[in-house]
Amino acid sequence: MPQTVKTNCRFCGYQCGLTATVENGRVTGVAPDPTQYPGDERIQHGCHRWRMAPQFLDHPDRVNYPLKRVGERGSGQWHRISWDQALDEIAEKLAGLKEQFGPETLATCIGGPHAVYWPLHRFMTLFGSPNNVGIGQICWNPGTLLHAISYGWPLDNELEPDLTGCLMLWGANHAESDNSLLWHRIQQYSRTGKPLIVVDPRRTRTAELATHWLPVRPGTDAVLALGLVQAIIQNRWYDAPFVEAWCHGFARLAGHLQHYTPGYVAEATGIPAEQLLEVARLYALQCPSALFTGRGIDQIGRNSVPLHHSLDILRAITGNIDRKGASCITGMPDFIPELELELSDRFLETQRRKQLGQLKLQSYHGYEQIRKLTSKQDKRLPMRYLTSTQPNLVWQAMLTDRPYPIRSMIVMATNPLLTQADTSLVYQALKSLDLLVVLELFQTPTAMLADYLLPSAGVLERALFETKAGTANLAYGGAKAVEPYYERRPDFDFWQGLGRRLGQQEDWPWQSFEDSLEATLAPTGVDWETFSRHGLYTLPEEYEKHERIDPATGKAAGFATTTGKIELYSELLAGLGAEPLPVPKPVAAVDEQYPLSLITGARYHPYYASSFHQLEGLRKLHPEPWAEVSRATAHKLGLAEGTPVRVTTEKGTACFTLKISEMCDDVVSVEYGWWYPEKKAAEPELGGLWLANANLLTSADYATADPLIGTATYNGIPCCLQAVDSGKK
């Protein structure tokens, strides 16, 4: 007898509500659930992914059983084993490596949204290694850390179409990367006729809705942002009462910006002076003004921190902080936060000091400086992800044993051969390991190099509890629709099983992932079953919380910063020996050999990062990867749309299909995350890893990365573009 189950899609970060039809333990159909996020089934009809859930669950290429390598690394030769054998052998190998080299010999690499982070971080805390690697340097961490420094805590940007007076989208293409409630609201807002400003070198589908499109030259965004701030100050468009009461360092900022005149900014960024002035006026005076940023601004290396700091200042001087229709400073959750779940307070100081590189901000020392301030308002950010090691240092330690040997890695829900910079370096590093374990849904290029390949439960096969890493009083998700097919298991089971085998028994008291979620929710008084029925835990937002009077002191709450105000001039950064006001860095210069500027982060539906290329129904919608240029650039190079092209940088070469788009001249934008699952799942092809992979073109060299967070340059890289024989692609 078929039954319906409330559950969630997990094919992107929004993880919308679904109703699954289940018969004999198998999902036979799915449909949007209007009682869950995003609350309107019409919104989900624009997405192709969720419809593929039944096919995805039983796809012939899924990893269904634990596999152990029996041939040479990358040979594609596997032997099926049991979960107990896999966990026993992995635990034994890790124990031996730990005894020989110390716990820091283990590194992990994590992605999302197909994972829950805290079990991995809990295991690493107890094992004693500081070497967790994520994608945080170019996604989420820069904004989260700079918000905490400027405002005392992260904020959520808001869009209320009927209330918001001006909307600015910077380095974000929600038409491709979102396609959920926010994109729906952006479309709704665009129909009001109010100002919609999009800052992006490409005229994306999102930018097509804009009243003002600012095609900024790649890497010069921080100059543009400071130009907007300068124009607002110069013309006295700022919110003077708010600045006087709640902003620290305004006079220093004004002096710092004197040379960021509209003419100077226009020359540096390519944005006409009159357009800059118009946009500055609209954002400042059409309040409340909302400002959303995307991963594009996290990928510009040493200019990412100055840009985030500049945008924090832009919001602040216009009074668009903790204001309905603009932004909301979030709070600690009522449920157990990620910081406590990952047990980071128990991570030994001796092991913290072994963190590679010791970045000024994304480090244990930097974290503690921020925590001293956020604790003023009883707030605590998650630690492990915000102290992730700069990836380049991990790959180098694998190859050189300096400053100590990293001889093992566990990879979960990510594909670092495609998603981390400098694929050739990552490849050499992974090949050098004594132990590589990969938890995956499919045989990705990274999984093809593993010693142990373990089958992860995926969409509809495991519970979901999404919490914004404990930076907001919000959780959404719900129950799995079915028990995992074949011998797949939730990643939680792996970490618990491995931890118990390595002496962590007391710290893994639960019988299942759901039991751990029940315990996490306990402080709210809501049990897991009730949460799963509703799919959401949250409370109404409150605004202008800095104005609240503390009964104990009789003073306003203010902000959790050194001065109690929003820090335009950052006392914390000054204390770390960093620049307290934003200082944009020079962009890499093009030359005769590399005359164009490269952007590497573009993505398109129906894919999500490097996922879903093996789904035939989705692949037909977008069969080949694109390299985009303007019509003028194509004409100058003598290239026509559809031409197979080769993009080359100092790091390497990758091949794409040329697409002519409206965008900055002399810029090439290549698609991110491409591989070819139909090609051989073994060396040398590795699923087409070496063909159209954007990260063959990038570098994350620590010496040239941002010294605070470790952000490498993925946009604004000098390159050249040439036609190639399609038969050689």
Side-chain angles (χ1 to χ4, degrees):
M1 180 71 179
Q3 58 180 148
T4 57
V5 181
K6 292 172 71 70
T7 187
N8 295 82
C9 179
R10 298 193 69 153
F11 286 160
C12 82
Y14 292 91
Q15 305 177 127
C16 300
L18 294 177
T19 299
T21 301
V22 179
E23 190 169 5
N24 298 322
R26 288 289 194 267
V27 174
T28 58
V30 289
D33 180 358
T35 69
Q36 298 187 72
Y37 175 91
D40 184 340
E41 61 186 293
R42 295 171 297 177
I43 295 173
Q44 290 170 260
H45 284 312
C47 179
H48 298 281
R49 296 174 188 146
W50 60 267
R51 308 168 196 272
M52 307 298 292
Q55 176 188 335
F56 189 82
L57 278 165
D58 221 356
H59 193 280
D61 293 339
R62 281 289 294 270
V63 181
N64 295 323
Y65 305 97
L67 301 174
K68 179 181 179 180
R69 176 174 64 84
V70 293
E72 293 293 321
R73 188 182 297 279
S75 66
Q77 299 178 54
W78 305 95
H79 174 64
R80 177 178 162 182
I81 60 175
S82 69
W83 269 98
D84 282 340
Q85 180 183 344
L87 288 167
D88 288 345
E89 292 182 5
I90 293 167
E92 182 180 4
K93 290 176 185 291
L94 285 177
L97 290 169
K98 182 177 182 180
E99 182 176 359
Q100 184 177 1
F101 300 115
E104 59 273 15
T105 197
L106 171 64
T108 55
C109 193
I110 192 171
H114 313 295
V116 56
Y117 284 43
W118 69 261
L120 178 151
H121 291 151
R122 188 185 194 92
F123 175 86
M124 289 291 278
T125 295
L126 298 170
F127 191 81
S129 174
N131 294 317
N132 45 288
V133 171
I135 206 73
Q137 272 91 1
I138 58 166
C139 182
W140 195 72
N141 288 18
T144 299
L145 291 169
L146 265 296
H147 292 341
I149 287 171
S150 299
Y151 312 134
W153 192 252
L155 56 77
D156 269 346
N157 298 302
E158 291 190 349
L159 173 59
E160 298 286 346
D162 294 333
L163 175 62
T164 302
C166 178
L167 171 61
M168 185 179 293
L169 307 175
W170 201 307
N173 182 12
H174 297 91
E176 303 291 350
S177 63
D178 184 297
N179 206 42
S180 186
L181 182 59
L182 179 55
W183 172 232
H184 177 79
R185 283 187 173 172
I186 291 170
Q187 292 173 301
Q188 183 182 352
Y189 175 88
S190 72
R191 292 190 285 271
T192 67
K194 291 184 285 189
L196 172 51
I197 302 156
V198 176
V199 184
D200 197 306
R202 301 180 300 138
R203 190 172 177 83
T204 62
R205 282 207 297 135
T206 302
E208 289 174 358
L209 299 182
T211 59
H212 298 74
W213 170 47
L214 278 59
V216 63
R217 289 185 185 129
T220 66
D221 303 67
V223 176
L224 176 59
L226 290 178
L228 294 172
V229 173
Q230 194 271 356
I232 290 169
I233 294 175
Q234 184 69 26
N235 291 281
R236 299 186 178 276
W237 293 332
Y238 58 91
D239 186 334
F242 185 84
V243 168
E244 175 68 24
W246 292 114
C247 292
H248 168 72
F250 183 76
R252 282 173 164 170
L253 172 68
H256 177 70
L257 295 179
Q258 286 182 358
H259 78 278
Y260 287 92
T261 62
Y264 170 83
V265 173
E267 184 176 354
T269 67
I271 304 302
E274 58 274 15
Q275 188 177 30
L276 180 143
L277 287 168
E278 174 67 3
V279 165
R281 183 184 64 83
L282 290 171
Y283 182 82
L285 301 182
Q286 295 285 108
C287 293
S289 295
L291 170 55
F292 287 79
T293 61
R295 187 169 171 178
I297 76 169
D298 291 347
Q299 297 189 177
I300 54 177
R302 287 175 174 260
N303 278 311
S304 182
V305 166
L307 176 55
H308 273 288
H309 193 178
S310 301
L311 296 180
D312 285 349
I313 290 169
L314 180 62
R315 293 185 183 96
I317 66 169
T318 54
N320 285 300
I321 295 299
D322 216 23
R323 182 175 183 178
K324 188 173 178 60
S327 67
C328 177
I329 294 180
T330 56
M332 284 292 290
D334 297 334
F335 45 84
I336 297 175
E338 183 152 327
L339 178 70
E340 294 181 19
L341 292 169
E342 62 191 20
L343 300 180
S344 286
D345 285 352
R346 289 171 52 182
F347 192 46
L348 299 176
E349 181 61 32
T350 54
Q351 294 308 111
R352 296 186 189 198
R353 289 199 294 267
K354 291 181 180 179
Q355 184 182 35
L356 300 174
Q358 291 294 330
L359 293 161
K360 290 184 179 180
L361 196 56
Q362 188 162 308
S363 61
Y364 289 99
H365 173 72
Y367 176 88
E368 287 302 329
Q369 304 314 302
I370 296 174
R371 181 170 175 171
K372 289 176 184 177
L373 298 178
T374 61
S375 294
K376 291 180 178 181
Q377 296 185 353
D378 297 322
K379 296 177 179 179
R380 296 160 295 151
L381 291 168
M383 182 187 291
R384 291 293 305 210
Y385 199 68
L386 291 174
T387 55
S388 295
T389 306
Q390 210 269 358
N392 182 265
L393 296 178
V394 171
W395 316 131
Q396 295 289 354
M398 290 175 178
L399 292 169
T400 66
D401 290 347
R402 293 195 298 268
Y404 49 74
I406 295 180
R407 304 305 313 140
S408 56
M409 175 170 262
I410 302 174
V411 177
M412 181 178 82
T414 188
N415 187 5
L417 281 174
L418 277 107
T419 59
Q420 294 285 346
D422 198 344
T423 296
S424 296
L425 176 65
V426 178
Y427 170 77
Q428 295 171 35
L430 297 182
K431 289 275 283 188
S432 75
L433 292 175
D434 296 330
L435 176 64
L436 176 60
V437 180
V438 176
L439 286 66
E440 255 297 356
L441 308 173
F442 293 90
Q443 280 202 43
T444 65
T446 302
M448 295 169 196
L449 298 183
D451 297 296
Y452 295 87
L453 175 54
L454 304 178
S456 289
V459 61
L460 310 188
E461 294 180 297
R462 61 183 176 190
L464 170 67
F465 191 69
E466 191 70 36
T467 67
K468 291 199 171 184
T471 62
N473 194 19
L474 169 71
Y476 60 94
K480 59 192 174 188
V482 290
E483 292 298 321
Y485 290 12
Y486 307 103
E487 291 184 15
R488 306 169 193 163
R489 291 187 182 180
D491 298 330
F492 172 90
D493 290 17
F494 168 81
W495 296 109
Q496 177 171 322
L498 189 61
R500 287 175 172 175
R501 285 167 169 81
L502 289 168
Q504 303 175 10
Q505 294 91 333
E506 292 184 2
D507 292 300
W508 296 94
W510 311 282
Q511 294 301 309
S512 67
F513 182 40
E514 284 82 355
D515 287 346
S516 76
L517 299 179
E518 184 84 46
T520 301
L521 275 167
T524 69
V526 177
D527 60 29
W528 174 248
E529 183 180 353
T530 302
F531 173 82
S532 296
R533 283 200 305 270
H534 296 280
L536 179 68
Y537 177 84
T538 190
L539 294 176
E541 298 287 9
E542 298 181 22
Y543 302 90
E544 299 180 350
K545 294 180 284 295
H546 52 280
E547 298 275 10
R548 288 182 190 164
I549 301 300
D550 183 344
T553 64
K555 297 180 179 180
F559 298 87
T561 62
T562 303
T563 60
K565 297 183 177 183
I566 295 173
E567 298 207 342
L568 313 177
Y569 178 98
S570 174
E571 299 292 347
L572 187 146
L573 289 179
L576 292 174
E579 291 156 339
L581 289 167
V583 180
K585 307 304 184 291
V587 176
V590 298
D591 55 26
E592 186 175 340
Q593 183 179 6
Y594 299 113
L596 306 175
S597 183
L598 177 67
I599 302 171
T600 67
R603 59 199 66 201
Y604 292 93
H605 263 268
Y607 307 120
Y608 188 84
S610 64
S611 299
F612 314 137
H613 290 80
Q614 59 277 99
L615 294 177
E616 184 178 353
L618 300 185
R619 183 69 173 275
K620 288 179 179 178
L621 299 173
H622 189 50
E624 293 293 334
W626 290 335
E628 295 178 83
V629 298
S630 71
R631 188 168 300 280
T633 302
H635 178 74
K636 182 166 61 174
L637 297 174
L639 298 173
E641 183 160 284
T643 301
V645 293
R646 176 185 295 115
V647 180
T648 303
T649 68
E650 287 186 346
K651 292 304 299 183
T653 296
C655 295
F656 304 87
T657 298
L658 191 70
K659 177 177 171 56
I660 295 176
S661 300
E662 190 174 357
M663 58 189 290
C664 286
D665 293 335
D666 300 321
V667 173
V668 183
S669 173
V670 299
E671 200 168 344
Y672 164 81
W674 261 89
W675 60 297
Y676 295 84
E678 66 271 20
K679 294 188 179 294
K680 188 176 180 181
E683 297 270 33
E685 291 92 336
L686 294 179
L689 171 69
W690 307 106
L691 298 179
N693 175 4
N695 276 317
L696 292 168
L697 308 171
T698 61
S699 170
D701 182 57
Y702 183 78
T704 60
D706 162 66
L708 277 79
I709 296 175
T711 303
T713 301
Y714 294 73
N715 294 342
I717 304 170
C719 74
C720 66
L721 178 69
Q722 299 168 309
V724 297
D725 179 2
S726 60
K728 296 180 180 178
K729 185 178 176 182

